[in-house]
Amino acid sequence: MLVYTLKRLGLALLVTLAVSMLSFALLYLSGDPAAAIAGETANAEDIEAVRVYYGFDRPWVVQYGEWMFNAIRGDFGTSYYFKLPVSQLVAERLSVTMLLGVCGISFALLTAVPLGVAAAVRPNSIIDRIALFLSVMGQAMPSFWFGLVLIVLFSIKLRILPPSGSDSWQNFVMPTIVLGYYAMPAIMRLTRAGMLDVLGADYVRTARAKGAGEFRVMFKHALRNAIIPVVSLAAVQMGFMLGGSIVVESIFALHGAGYLAWESIGRNDLPTVQALILVFSMFYIVFTFLSDLLNAWLDPRMRVG
C-alpha cells in the first residue's frame, strides 16, 4: 500500500506542476497584462511603465519560476484590485466555497446512491423511472437556470429562503441543491449500473444460498463492490463542484472563492486569478488522489501494477 501511495503522490505532484505551468502560460498569452492593468486610456509610455513595474518585461520562464517559488511558500503576491495579499483574500473566501462543496456532494450522494440502489433492485419499476427522469433532467438543465427558478419559487413566491448572502445556513440551501443536483445524474447512473452487475455475480448468489439476509447481501457484498467506481466519480465531481461554484456563487451572491474568481476575472486581477486556478486545481488533484487510496483500500487488486 505504501508503494502504491508513493506512486500516486508522485503522479499528483507532476500533474500539479503541469497545471501551474499551463495556467500561468495561458493567462499571459491571452493578452498583454500590462495593457489590461493600465487601462484603455493609457498610452504606450504608461503601459511600458506598468510592464517594468510589475516585472512583465522579464522572460516568461523567470516570471513563472519566481511565482512558483513564492507560491510554494504561500505567497501569491498582492491583488491588483483589492490591494491586499492574495493568500489572505483566498483564505477568507475559501471557507464558504468548501462548505458549499461539502454540502453539495453530500446532497448528491445521499440522494443519488439510494435512488441508484433502489432502481437496480427494482429495474423497470416506478422507482427506476423516477431515477431515470431525474437523471435526464439533471443533465439537460443548466445550473444557472435552475438556480434562478429556485430563487423565483422559494424567495419571491413563497418567501421562505433568502435569495442571496452567506450569513446563515438558510443561504446555503438553494446553492446546495443546485450544485448537488449537477452531480446526481452521473452518480445515480453509475450506482445503478454497478449494482446491476454485482447482483448477478456468483458471490452474491452464494451469499444468498448460505442464508445471508437481504440487507447484508445488499450492503456488505453488493454495494461495497459497486461503490468503488462511485468513489472515484464523487471525487471528480467534487473537483468540478469547486470549480463550478463560480457560477452558483455568482447567482446567489455567496462571497466565496468562486465569487472572488468571478470578480477577479472581470477586473483583470491576474495574481488572484492565478492563485485561484492553482487552488481549485489542487483540490481536484487532492480529491482524486484520496479516491485512489480509498479504492485501493476497498479493492486490494488495484494496488498491483
Side-chain angles (χ1 to χ4, degrees), residues 195-208:
M195 286 295 294
L196 286 174
D197 288 339
V198 299
L199 286 176
D202 293 337
Y203 63 87
V204 173
R205 288 194 292 266
T206 302
R208 284 172 172 162

Side-chain angles (χ1 to χ4, degrees), residues 4 16 26 44-45 51 71 86 101 107 183 198 201 203 217 236 254 260 271 274-275 278-279 285:
Y4 179 83
T16 302
L26 289 176
E45 290 78 9
R51 183 176 291 109
V86 174
F107 173 79
V198 299
Y203 63 87
V217 170
V236 173
L254 290 173
L260 177 62
Q274 288 171 343
L278 183 62
V279 168
I285 293 168

Side-chain angles (χ1 to χ4, degrees), residues 13-14 26 34-35 38 44 54 83 118 148 158-159 165 193 196 198 203 205 230 253-254 256 265 287:
L13 293 176
L14 288 176
L26 289 176
Y54 286 104
K83 308 302 180 182
L148 294 175
L158 300 178
R159 297 187 179 183
L196 286 174
V198 299
Y203 63 87
R205 288 194 292 266
V230 177
L254 290 173
I265 292 171
F287 286 131

Side-chain angles (χ1 to χ4, degrees), residues 175-197:
T176 295
I177 295 174
V178 173
L179 203 60
Y181 194 60
Y182 167 79
M184 277 179 54
I187 296 176
M188 191 188 307
R189 290 198 314 271
L190 193 59
T191 303
R192 180 184 183 277
M195 286 295 294
L196 286 174
D197 288 339

Side-chain angles (χ1 to χ4, degrees), residues 200-241:
D202 293 337
Y203 63 87
V204 173
R205 288 194 292 266
T206 302
R208 284 172 172 162
K210 290 182 178 180
E214 192 64 20
F215 183 86
R216 182 182 179 87
V217 170
M218 286 293 170
F219 290 94
K220 182 177 180 179
H221 298 281
L223 186 59
R224 175 167 181 170
N225 291 279
I227 207 69
I228 292 176
V230 177
V231 172
S232 298
L233 179 62
V236 173
Q237 291 292 340
M238 183 65 176
F240 284 154
M241 283 182 176

Side-chain angles (χ1 to χ4, degrees), residues 132-160:
L132 178 61
F133 173 77
L134 292 176
S135 177
V136 173
M137 285 292 294
Q139 284 188 318
M141 190 162 47
S143 298
F144 67 88
W145 184 85
F146 187 33
L148 294 175
V149 169
L150 292 183
I151 290 175
V152 172
L153 178 60
F154 292 104
S155 299
I156 298 177
K157 298 294 185 182
L158 300 178
R159 297 187 179 183
I160 59 176

Side-chain angles (χ1 to χ4, degrees), residues 258-292:
Y259 192 77
L260 177 62
W262 179 77
E263 290 178 303
S264 302
I265 292 171
R267 293 161 177 166
N268 294 315
D269 194 351
L270 293 181
T272 307
V273 175
Q274 288 171 343
L276 289 169
I277 290 175
L278 183 62
V279 168
F280 285 141
S281 302
M282 283 296 299
F283 277 123
Y284 183 86
I285 293 168
V286 168
F287 286 131
T288 304
F289 171 70
L290 294 177
S291 73
D292 290 340

Side-chain angles (χ1 to χ4, degrees), residues 24-44:
F24 190 90
L26 289 176
L27 281 175
Y28 281 88
L29 291 176
S30 61
D32 187 358
I37 296 171
E40 297 180 357
T41 60
N43 54 37

